[in-house]
Amino acid sequence: MVTLKKHSLAFILLAAFIIVPLTIGNTTDVHNVIIYILIYAMVGEAWNLITGFTGQTSFGHAAYFGVGAYTSTIMLEYFHITPWIGMLVGGVIAVILAFMVNFQMFKLKGHYFAIATLCVAEILKTIFSTWKWVGAGDGIALTPITVLIPDASKNAWGKIAWLSLDVRNRLPFLFTTLAVFCIVFVVCVLLENSKVGFYWKAIRESHEVAESIGINPRNYKLLAMCLSAFIAAIGGTFFAQFFKYIDAITVFPLSVSMIFVLVTVLGGIGNVYGPIIGSVIYYSLELIMRRLTGASGSGLDQIVFGILIVLVTCFEPRGIMGLIDRIKGRFVKKAVKEGEASE
């Protein structure tokens, strides 16, 4: 059973994400960074489901991220359908793609599977780069329009502006993204503590042991991948609405997939807080370096982040959350020893 005390960190982070935007005024840079953090933490949670919980490394999550981005963008720009519906449709398409591709690919193990997932994203990048209907190499620019919905009484189209997820007003968009991320986070926490979550962890530790107790590894990994693809597509929708422009080079490349991997590994793979902590560190570094050094600091944040990744993986493979757990463990041991000594 999930206890509130166990997840007190979640309430602290939620309070920070609410208070900081409200107290810094109209600082667009900070608002943008928080939106970045939430979007990439959202997709990091998706990647964590398949890699952190089941142990199946994916280097191609940009495929599902891009499918979500393109689906919602096409539905809004070409057919004036609210991105909320486009988000769900994109998620369903991503799930279908994940099932069709991984049903056979889960026969592969280790680095073979990781390379295969990378190939899927690269194939989609090539297809969308040459597909003229979706803009090919020019991509699609989203114009700030009002979403239209059918109005049966007037036999016409009625306007509902707030359904368009307009990013021109940063705060409403930020808090909408935060609300959706909270839903994703709660779902991941519930999954982690469910019977399915324990099956995933059993598969991660040993396929053979999982099979010996009646677990079908492929079926449960397929479930994890489908859920992961759906969440990644939701993140893609918010990314597209945030930038108001997408192309294949922006949403499908390996560099995008690696951001999801790196922020999760830094924060703590296999831990629901890992993607959040990693994203906060990554994009905070980007903002700090940009403000300290301006244009001359381009790439410096990547160097610092890379050094952090190396240090963390060398000294604490469980990431920042593992380091926090280690420190907490030492304090607990010290308190126990002091208690025994006083007796």
Side-chain angles (χ1 to χ4, degrees):
M1 187 68 179
V2 180
T3 62
L4 294 178
K5 184 178 179 180
K6 180 181 177 182
H7 292 282
S8 56
L9 178 59
F11 294 101
I12 295 172
L13 290 169
L14 177 61
F17 283 130
I18 293 173
I19 294 170
V20 170
L22 292 175
T23 55
I24 58 175
N26 294 321
T27 308
T28 305
D29 278 352
V30 177
H31 289 169
N32 288 349
V33 166
I34 294 174
I35 293 169
Y36 270 125
I37 288 170
L38 293 170
I39 291 173
Y40 281 99
M42 191 185 303
V43 188
E45 295 288 356
W47 186 82
N48 203 26
L49 284 180
I50 187 64
T51 305
F53 291 171
T54 70
Q56 202 75 39
T57 303
S58 169
F59 288 154
H61 256 55
Y64 313 116
F65 182 76
V67 165
Y70 263 98
T71 302
S72 59
T73 298
I74 290 168
M75 291 180 70
L76 178 59
E77 186 68 15
Y78 293 178
F79 305 106
H80 305 297
I81 296 174
T82 169
W84 292 102
I85 295 176
M87 180 191 303
L88 297 177
V89 174
V92 171
I93 293 174
V95 167
I96 294 171
L97 175 65
F99 182 85
M100 292 175 61
V101 169
N102 293 283
F103 185 78
Q104 292 299 323
M105 272 185 15
F106 274 131
K107 293 180 181 178
L108 303 173
K109 294 183 179 180
H111 55 278
Y112 296 106
F113 177 82
I115 293 170
T117 59
L118 169 60
C119 292
V120 172
E122 289 300 309
I123 289 169
L124 287 177
K125 184 177 77 171
T126 303
I127 291 172
F128 279 79
S129 294
T130 56
W131 190 1
K132 292 184 179 180
W133 190 67
V134 296
D138 295 330
I140 304 175
L142 270 171
T143 52
I145 59 174
T146 301
V147 176
L148 304 177
I149 62 168
D151 188 346
S153 62
K154 298 180 181 178
N155 195 24
W157 291 86
K159 297 181 179 181
I160 299 185
W162 64 270
L163 287 175
S164 63
L165 272 178
D166 194 350
V167 76
R168 286 173 294 180
N169 193 337
R170 284 290 193 274
L171 274 179
F173 185 85
L174 189 156
F175 288 127
T176 302
T177 309
L178 176 60
V180 174
F181 172 76
C182 288
I183 294 171
V184 169
F185 179 81
V186 170
V187 168
C188 290
V189 169
L190 294 176
L191 285 170
E192 181 188 25
N193 294 277
S194 69
K195 182 173 70 173
V196 171
F198 288 114
Y199 285 174
W200 285 340
K201 292 171 187 176
I203 294 167
R204 179 187 66 193
E205 299 304 320
S206 173
H207 276 230
E208 292 74 17
V209 172
E211 287 177 337
S212 70
I213 59 175
I215 299 172
N216 187 320
R218 188 170 73 167
N219 288 351
Y220 279 98
K221 285 192 291 186
L222 266 175
L223 174 61
M225 183 60 86
C226 289
L227 290 170
S228 181
F230 187 86
I231 295 171
I234 291 174
T237 295
F238 278 93
F239 180 87
Q241 295 303 314
F242 179 50
F243 277 97
K244 294 298 181 187
Y245 169 82
I246 58 166
D247 61 5
I249 306 301
T250 305
V251 296
F252 285 119
L254 174 62
S255 58
V256 171
S257 292
M258 292 312 297
I259 291 177
F260 308 146
V261 175
L262 294 176
V263 297
T264 307
V265 170
L266 177 64
I269 190 170
N271 189 305
V272 290
Y273 291 102
I276 313 173
I277 301 300
S279 293
V280 168
I281 294 173
Y282 181 83
Y283 288 105
S284 296
L285 272 175
E286 182 183 81
L287 177 62
I288 291 168
M289 294 300 175
R290 187 165 65 241
R291 289 198 166 184
L292 287 177
T293 60
S296 62
S298 179
L300 187 58
D301 55 322
Q302 302 285 341
I303 295 172
V304 175
F305 187 73
I307 293 171
L308 281 174
I309 286 288
V310 171
L311 291 174
V312 166
T313 51
C314 286
F315 297 102
E316 182 48 79
R318 294 181 300 158
I320 300 297
M321 291 307 300
L323 183 62
I324 293 172
D325 288 340
R326 184 188 294 185
I327 294 170
K328 284 169 62 178
R330 287 180 179 178
F331 277 110
V332 170
K333 287 181 182 179
K334 184 178 179 181
V336 170
K337 288 180 180 179
E338 289 177 352
E340 291 175 351
S342 63
E343 292 177 357

